Amino acid sequence: MKEGSRKHGMLAPCAACKLLRRRCAPDCVFAPYFPANEPQKFASVHKVFGASNVNKMLQELPEHQRSDAVSSMVYEANARVRDPVYGCVGAISLLQQQIDSLQTQLAMAQAEALHIKSNHQFNTAASSQRPASSSSPDHRGNEADSLWFY
Amino acid sequence: MKEGSRKHGMLAPCAACKLLRRRCAPDCVFAPYFPANEPQKFASVHKVFGASNVNKMLQELPEHQRSDAVSSMVYEANARVRDPVYGCVGAISLLQQQIDSLQTQLAMAQAEALHIKSNHQFNTAASSQRPASSSSPDHRGNEADSLWFY
């Protein structure tokens, strides 16, 4: 509906064509992903990747993958605008540090659980042997009786 | 030394100038980060970001940050070449899934440790009360004696 109206020249050109100051053709590769009301999306990818590269990358993909590709490019471009030195790679580095920390915490928690469990088993075994040892005096008593008998 | 030799035209132009087929000036912004013997590094960033954008991004950074910026751009570009739909963002998504899974495992391991600990404390408390209850038959015996006495 929106696309149909755009084709009849009733809506503004897409954000990309507006920024690039060119006519927004009915088959514009940017139009479905860069609507006029979200100019910042295209501004970021244009600044980081360049309109020509974004165009080329979209053309090389089948249509059903273009929306995801645009989303990931916008995310990547925004990360690079926020952090011009590390961009997305800064986020990857932080996530990897978080994974290292979680793996250490998990190993510690598992070791603690194992330690408590083995302590618990040891104590259970020790306490289950207590009645047997308390009956031993009687047994020793019988032995003593036997010895006395001989 | 290498840079000095390059200035005297004794070495090949940097990988960027070679790919762009232009003269490698002594103050070439690419030369320190894209040596002639690693042509793939520049080919990737050129394909994804475009030489002009890489140039602009480097010029906007102080020199001591440019090496890190180039490394992160090369990493990002290689990720986009390998995965044209998700690029680096695919890696971020996988890392976030791994974090979610580790957080779940950690919560389970901590809950298990807590469960074993509270079970252990309960059993310890119960077994510490056992001697008192085992002495009760004697006590009952005394009671019986007392009753008998009456």
Side-chain angles (χ1 to χ4, degrees):
Chain A
M1 174 74 178
K2 197 176 167 187
E3 180 71 8
S5 310
R6 212 184 59 80
K7 278 180 184 167
H8 291 91
M10 288 165 72
L11 285 183
C14 75
C17 292
K18 200 174 173 188
L19 191 88
L20 300 171
R21 297 180 187 197
R22 64 178 201 179
R23 195 178 70 85
C24 192
D27 60 348
C28 170
V29 74
F30 297 124
Y33 317 107
F34 298 103
N37 61 348
E38 292 180 86
Q40 197 51 48
K41 270 176 75 174
F42 188 76
S44 298
V45 296
H46 178 47
K47 182 177 159 64
V48 173
F49 298 104
S52 158
N53 276 356
V54 176
N55 188 344
K56 214 183 296 168
M57 286 194 265
L58 289 179
Q59 299 277 14
E60 285 169 2
L61 290 172
E63 281 202 17
H64 72 276
Q65 291 190 309
R66 291 182 189 177
S67 174
D68 281 353
V70 166
S71 297
S72 72
M73 277 190 271
V74 170
Y75 183 97
E76 221 171 307
N78 285 337
R80 179 67 58 183
V81 169
R82 273 197 309 273
D83 180 353
V85 180
Y86 297 103
C88 249
V89 183
I92 289 179
S93 178
L94 283 176
L95 291 172
Q96 275 172 336
Q97 281 173 31
Q98 209 179 329
I99 286 174
D100 289 347
S101 160
L102 281 168
Q103 280 173 333
T104 306
Q105 287 178 65
L106 179 62
M108 283 169 68
Q110 285 171 335
E112 195 198 355
L114 203 68
H115 177 73
I116 299 168
K117 209 182 277 182
S118 62
N119 257 8
H120 175 56
Q121 281 168 349
F122 175 79
N123 290 342
T124 308
S127 66
S128 70
Q129 282 174 345
R130 248 175 247 147
S133 62
S134 67
S135 70
S136 63
D138 296 344
H139 182 61
R140 262 190 281 116
N142 292 344
E143 262 177 8
D145 290 349
S146 313
L147 284 169
W148 173 82
F149 191 75
Y150 282 102
Chain B
M1 174 70 181
K2 199 175 166 187
E3 182 70 8
S5 311
R6 214 182 57 80
K7 277 180 186 166
H8 292 93
M10 288 166 72
L11 284 185
C14 76
C17 292
K18 199 174 174 189
L19 191 86
L20 300 171
R21 295 180 189 198
R22 64 178 201 180
R23 194 180 68 87
C24 194
D27 61 348
C28 170
V29 73
F30 297 124
Y33 317 107
F34 298 104
N37 60 347
E38 292 180 85
Q40 197 50 49
K41 271 176 75 174
F42 188 77
S44 297
V45 296
H46 178 46
K47 182 177 162 63
V48 173
F49 298 103
S52 158
N53 275 356
V54 177
N55 187 344
K56 215 183 293 169
M57 287 193 264
L58 290 179
Q59 297 277 13
E60 285 170 3
L61 290 172
E63 280 201 21
H64 72 275
Q65 291 190 308
R66 291 183 188 175
S67 174
D68 281 353
V70 165
S71 297
S72 71
M73 278 191 270
V74 170
Y75 184 97
E76 221 171 308
N78 285 338
R80 178 68 57 184
V81 169
R82 273 198 308 272
D83 180 354
V85 180
Y86 298 103
C88 249
V89 183
I92 289 178
S93 178
L94 283 177
L95 291 172
Q96 276 172 335
Q97 282 173 30
Q98 208 179 330
I99 286 174
D100 289 347
S101 160
L102 281 167
Q103 280 174 333
T104 306
Q105 287 178 66
L106 179 61
M108 284 170 66
Q110 285 171 335
E112 194 198 356
L114 204 69
H115 177 73
I116 299 169
K117 210 182 275 182
S118 63
N119 256 9
H120 174 57
Q121 281 167 350
F122 175 78
N123 289 342
T124 308
S127 67
S128 69
Q129 284 174 346
R130 244 175 252 148
S133 63
S134 68
S135 68
S136 64
D138 295 345
H139 182 60
R140 262 188 284 117
N142 292 344
E143 263 175 10
D145 290 349
S146 313
L147 285 170
W148 173 82
F149 191 72
Y150 283 102

